[in-house]
Amino acid sequence: MPYSFDLSPGQKIYLDNPGALTSITLASAGAGQQQQSSTQVSTGPWTEIPQIARVGNAVLLRCVTAQGSFFWQIQGTQIAAAPATAWATAQATPMQATESSPPIASVLPMTPLPPMAPMRMGNMEMSLNPMTMRMGKMTLGPDLPTVNTPKFCTQCGAAIALGNRFCGSCGYQLS
Ligand SMILES: [Zn+2]
């Protein structure tokens, strides 16, 4: 049965005891990223529920097995063995049993794509900004009716079939 502890929103410690190993996994979920560091130590089977204690800005873990007590310190994303003298019994609380395992195989959360910037390929520019179309002295903007008006590519001047959004001659995107 794995145990877990929420260090902070998005950061979780998992402790498991497969075989005679103590497996510590630190999972941090940031902005669309998931980082994980873990360590495995041969400790023997636990004889007590693992405990956790916050000391300053670090977190201490304690596992008790037939071989003795084992201590680790977690600071940031680092997991390191800690001396027994660092253990703070007053702050210690037992960890909570959890059904879930460390999210090793979990799917990364989708992050929304940043707004699309105008795309430039050579001298062709595609953008979502309102476009104006110029024909001779007449300028058609997005607020002016363009229905039934013959269209010409603003880039190369080729005639555009009604309903086409791209110039069939040069590929220029039309409004
Ligand atoms: Zn064109």
Side-chain angles (χ1 to χ4, degrees):
M1 171 74 78
Y3 289 82
S4 73
F5 183 82
D6 289 309
L7 274 184
S8 62
Q11 205 181 25
K12 209 166 186 170
I13 296 176
Y14 294 88
L15 231 67
D16 206 355
N17 192 205
L21 295 173
T22 291
S23 156
I24 306 167
T25 302
L26 184 63
S28 327
Q33 293 190 351
Q34 214 168 61
Q35 290 191 325
Q36 208 157 285
S37 48
S38 66
T39 186
Q40 285 197 329
V41 185
S42 178
T43 58
W46 298 336
T47 55
E48 289 180 20
I49 291 173
Q51 296 202 345
I52 194 156
R54 283 179 190 275
V55 178
N57 58 353
V59 168
L60 294 166
L61 296 174
R62 186 189 73 168
C63 291
V64 179
T65 73
Q67 296 177 33
S69 297
F70 295 83
F71 301 92
W72 294 273
Q73 175 175 309
I74 294 169
Q75 195 154 22
T77 56
Q78 302 294 314
I79 305 169
T85 51
W87 183 246
T89 307
Q91 278 104 306
T93 52
M95 290 183 75
Q96 299 294 312
T98 177
E99 290 294 325
S100 63
S101 298
I104 291 169
S106 72
V107 178
L108 292 178
M110 293 286 290
T111 42
L113 291 171
M116 227 212 282
M119 192 162 60
R120 203 181 268 279
M121 290 182 288
N123 59 359
M124 185 176 99
E125 187 176 337
M126 284 161 61
S127 101
L128 299 174
N129 291 329
M131 293 176 79
T132 53
M133 182 171 75
R134 247 182 226 132
M135 293 188 305
K137 292 177 180 174
M138 190 167 64
T139 300
L140 295 177
D143 297 323
L144 296 168
T146 58
V147 184
N148 294 334
T149 308
K151 285 188 171 188
F152 296 91
C153 177
T154 53
Q155 187 79 357
C156 71
I160 309 296
L162 276 179
N164 276 10
R165 299 202 53 219
F166 293 91
C167 172
S169 175
C170 71
Y172 194 72
Q173 187 186 10
L174 306 157
S175 59

